[in-house]
Amino acid sequence: MVHQQRSQERPSPSGDTEDMVLSLAPRLAYFAGVARTEHVTRAARDMRVPQSTLSRAMVRLEQDLGVDLFARRGRTVSLTPAGRTFLTHVERALAEIGRAADEVRADADAATGKVAFGFLHTMGAETVPGLIHAFRADHPRVRFSLVQNYGEAMLEGLRAGELDLCLTSPVPDAPDLVARRLDEQKLRLVVPADHRLAARRRVRLAEAAEETFVTLEPGYGLRRITDDLCAEAGFRPRVAFEGEEAETLRGLVAAGLGVALLPPPAVARPGVVELTVTAPRAVREIGVAWLDGRPDTPPVAAFKKFLLSRRGSLLPT
């Protein structure tokens, strides 16, 4: 069956699809209401809108589409073949919008909502599980979407709306972000068990100036800190291997492939010795960051408050 075309000028096929969607979207629920009742007056009453408003909306919808959606007999209407096709897709779209609304309301619920939380790989074994366990003592049903990544990637996640909060190091200083220092973590010089320095307990970083280093890749906060500490100690590290996780670097050190500046491990690893660095002061600051000006949902606000309350006691002792 050939759909009847309206006499008005049809939209150009080259027209902007997004503009068309914006034009049609406000009238879709009206269309579905009229289509279900097949009666303009009854639909207007059910949707609590003036009948004249509803009638004008349907006429404009048909004009925008360039297709008759209804066959009219007074105030009673019936769908044309084009109208039935359009209704099928409109009902799917409205159902999807309804599901989206339910999802965002559920994520914002104070008791059962969701927090999108990013953190460094080195904080995944102990720090973050401990924090979430402690937080859920008072908020047992709050859900978490957890993302492990390096610092710059998490900051981009904040800007893209993919994360609500992140734990990172160094503490960022950017005009579009808010960051709060929470704690600091000592870094150690990790050497192979048979290394010339392995019998020591403490070492000045300058004593490792001639060593080969294994480090995280450029862009990682710990890599920047390593480079800065070595520069402060008077040398530029000779880097043999670059990786993405601290425990991988520990494995490389255990295999005798270099030394590394790393935070303490969750579990002691055989084959390496971890030395306290006496000079320069080898620490990294840990902070929480979020996007400036973005409103918090109740669960995000509660978790942010919890993290800020852990200043000085964020990390396991």
Side-chain angles (χ1 to χ4, degrees):
M1 180 179 294
V2 179
H3 295 168
Q4 181 183 353
Q5 303 299 318
R6 298 185 65 86
S7 59
Q8 287 86 350
E9 182 180 352
R10 299 183 63 189
S12 167
S14 62
D16 189 330
T17 300
E18 183 176 351
D19 286 347
M20 174 63 80
V21 171
L22 292 174
S23 174
L24 298 179
R27 294 186 286 275
L28 297 184
Y30 285 172
F31 166 75
V34 174
R36 283 192 293 264
T37 61
E38 295 191 330
H39 198 283
V40 177
T41 302
R42 192 177 307 141
R45 184 179 64 246
D46 292 346
M47 289 186 285
R48 299 179 181 179
V49 296
Q51 180 179 323
S52 58
T53 298
L54 195 57
S55 297
R56 285 196 300 270
M58 293 304 94
V59 170
R60 179 64 188 276
L61 178 61
E62 290 177 311
Q63 290 174 345
D64 286 346
L65 290 172
V67 175
D68 285 321
L69 300 175
F70 299 103
R72 292 166 173 81
R73 292 183 296 275
R75 293 176 182 175
T76 301
V77 297
S78 60
L79 287 170
T80 64
R84 284 194 294 272
T85 298
F86 194 56
L87 178 62
T88 298
H89 294 283
V90 166
E91 287 181 330
R92 290 175 186 166
L94 293 176
E96 186 63 28
I97 292 170
R99 285 190 289 271
D102 290 342
E103 182 176 337
V104 296
R105 282 196 294 261
D107 287 348
D109 184 87
T112 62
K114 184 172 72 174
V115 179
F117 183 43
F119 53 92
L120 301 169
H121 290 282
T122 52
M123 313 197 81
E126 283 187 301
T127 302
V128 168
L131 288 171
I132 293 177
H133 177 77
F135 175 73
R136 294 192 75 184
D138 293 324
H139 303 82
R141 298 165 62 199
V142 167
R143 297 168 290 124
F144 283 84
S145 172
L146 301 177
V147 176
Q148 290 179 272
N149 217 324
Y150 66 98
E152 287 301 320
M154 286 192 294
L155 300 186
E156 289 308 308
L158 292 177
R159 294 181 174 110
E162 298 165 357
L163 293 175
D164 298 310
L165 304 164
C166 71
L167 285 182
T168 189
S169 177
V171 180
D173 180 14
D176 60 335
L177 301 175
V178 180
R180 297 288 183 266
R181 180 186 182 278
L182 297 179
D183 215 335
E184 68 177 25
Q185 188 175 46
K186 291 182 179 179
L187 302 179
R188 298 168 177 174
L189 183 67
V190 184
V191 302
D194 59 355
H195 192 271
R196 64 182 177 85
L197 297 173
R200 302 266 297 274
R201 295 181 61 187
R202 295 177 175 81
V203 66
R204 290 177 295 106
L205 188 56
E207 295 179 73
E210 300 304 316
E211 299 291 336
T212 297
F213 277 72
V214 296
T215 70
L216 296 179
E217 295 175 349
Y220 284 68
L222 187 57
R223 171 62 179 271
R224 192 193 327 167
I225 294 170
T226 295
D227 290 346
D228 290 347
L229 286 172
C230 290
E232 191 174 347
F235 69 96
R236 181 177 180 178
R238 292 185 294 117
V239 177
F241 296 92
E242 296 174 335
E244 296 181 346
E245 291 196 9
E247 290 313 302
T248 300
L249 300 187
R250 269 194 178 80
L252 295 172
V253 173
L257 299 175
V259 303
L261 274 172
L262 296 173
V267 178
R269 183 177 188 126
V272 301
V273 175
E274 310 220 358
L275 307 176
T276 298
V277 178
T278 58
R281 187 168 182 267
V283 298
R284 66 170 179 172
E285 292 187 333
I286 307 294
V288 59
W290 59 89
L291 192 65
D292 190 20
R294 177 180 295 160
D296 291 333
T297 63
V300 171
F303 190 58
K304 181 189 294 184
K305 181 178 179 181
F306 168 80
L307 289 176
L308 294 175
S309 75
R310 304 286 294 223
R311 284 191 181 98
S313 60
L314 180 79
L315 303 173
T317 56

